[in-house]
Amino acid sequence: MIRASRRHEIQDGHESARTSLNQNGRCQITGEVIIRPIRVDDRERWEPLWHGYLDFYRAVLTPEVTERTWAALCDPTSAVHGLVAEQEDHLAGLAHVVLHPTTWGTRPTCYLEDLYVGKPWRGENIAHRLIEAVYAFADELGAASVYWLTQEYN
């Protein structure tokens, strides 16, 4: 687990985390954001981020693709892996990666396929933290490199 810290308070030796919305409806993170691997019990909180990501990319996928994606993310033997940014009980962002062999070397390559931060959490450096976590994850698994592609309008 990689911890990415923001403003927080210490009370009786324990961190307290708070989230509030500013006048623009954006989230002001005043607690700790934790970047961690996705878990099976994240499904209900992951799905709005997934659909927000698909909407951003103007993509329409069948429910079967979403089910298969979720199954792959939760399967420890899958080449597809997921990381999430969590703040209190909210998932603020996601990163999905695919670890795959390459014809250019002996070590695998890590493809950052999906990266998304929910609208209320934008501007809080969460995407940067997720990318850093992807690099750390790739290093842990011995990947030679990390790469991604994006749309021109992103």
Side-chain angles (χ1 to χ4, degrees):
M1 181 181 319
I2 298 168
R3 293 183 178 268
S5 186
R6 291 295 290 165
R7 296 178 299 272
H8 61 276
E9 294 178 4
I10 305 293
Q11 295 177 348
D12 300 325
H14 294 48
E15 291 185 23
S16 66
R18 288 189 241 164
T19 304
S20 61
L21 294 179
N22 65 18
Q23 294 169 339
N24 300 326
R26 296 185 67 164
C27 184
Q28 293 179 320
I29 299 172
T30 57
E32 186 175 44
V33 174
I34 299 170
I35 309 297
R36 62 166 176 79
I38 203 162
R39 299 186 308 237
V40 173
D41 66 334
D42 288 328
R43 175 66 187 260
E44 189 175 303
R45 297 177 302 155
W46 167 85
E47 202 151 343
L49 290 172
W50 175 243
H51 289 292
Y53 174 74
L54 296 176
D55 289 347
F56 177 81
Y57 275 106
R58 304 171 191 146
V60 178
L61 301 179
T62 65
E64 292 80 18
V65 172
T66 294
E67 287 301 319
R68 188 170 193 167
T69 299
W70 180 253
L73 288 167
C74 294
D75 179 355
T77 65
S78 171
V80 179
H81 304 274
L83 298 171
V84 292
E86 181 179 46
Q87 200 270 331
E88 289 185 333
D89 289 331
H90 304 283
L91 292 187
L94 60 79
H96 301 154
V97 300
V98 181
L99 201 65
H100 64 86
T102 177
T103 60
W104 289 81
T106 58
R107 294 175 25 211
T109 296
C110 183
Y111 173 46
L112 173 54
E113 188 167 21
D114 308 317
L115 177 68
Y116 183 76
V117 174
K119 287 180 183 180
W121 285 273
R122 292 185 188 159
E124 295 291 334
N125 211 25
I126 292 172
H128 180 79
R129 294 178 204 175
L130 282 163
I131 291 169
E132 286 178 341
V134 167
Y135 274 92
F137 175 81
D139 287 345
E140 285 177 27
L141 295 180
S145 63
V146 172
Y147 73 101
W148 65 88
L149 306 169
T150 191
Q151 294 287 349
E152 290 180 16
Y153 57 82
N154 185 358

